[in-house]
Amino acid sequence: MVKRLDAENIEYYKITGETSKQKRMELVKQFNEGTVPVFLISLKAGGVGLNLIGADMVIHYDPWWNVAVQNQATDRAHRIGQTKKVVKNTIEEKILKLQDSKRDLADSIISGDNVGMSSMSRDELMELLGV
């Protein structure tokens, strides 16, 4: 992602797990008040209350195993004070829908209620399994 942004001369801010709390807050403030269009944040850099009210789109390009953590990260861009219209019908929404389907399938298998599986076509099941 960084290489592509650099190649396209697109400005961005970046926070990783190694970025200090003070630097994180400075970058968030600059992003919310400025014109830099992209803010890259590793989910491992969470836990410090970063509110990206300047964001109009959130894409998790490195989805994590804990969906609740992803949802919290996304919600940080949709807070009181949001001034931009948040984009709908994105690839992220499709990924989240797929995650929901996988979770429902797993719950159905674990509970022994195979109703969810029996209502799926072979192609849908193969898509969920990534085959």
Side-chain angles (χ1 to χ4, degrees), residues 1 20 25 30 42 45 54 61 63 66 68 76 98 106 109 116 120-121 129:
M1 178 64 75
S20 72
M25 300 311 286
Q30 290 172 12
S42 169
Y61 69 91
N66 188 339
R76 293 285 183 188
L98 181 59
I109 293 170
M120 297 177 103
S121 71
L129 298 174

Side-chain angles (χ1 to χ4, degrees), residues 32-74:
N32 287 335
E33 296 175 353
T35 59
V36 173
V38 178
F39 201 127
L40 304 173
I41 304 175
S42 169
L43 287 173
K44 295 175 183 173
V48 293
L50 304 175
N51 290 328
L52 297 175
I53 60 173
D56 60 1
M57 183 183 310
V58 177
I59 299 172
H60 295 289
Y61 69 91
D62 61 344
W64 206 28
W65 66 271
N66 188 339
V67 176
V69 171
Q70 284 183 193
N71 291 342
Q72 182 183 29
T74 300

Side-chain angles (χ1 to χ4, degrees), residues 86-103:
V86 178
V87 177
K88 296 291 183 189
N89 299 320
T90 63
I91 186 85
E92 181 186 29
E93 287 182 4
K94 293 176 184 177
I95 290 170
L96 293 174
K97 189 174 183 179
L98 181 59
Q99 286 177 338
D100 289 342
S101 297
K102 286 183 176 185
R103 182 176 36 256

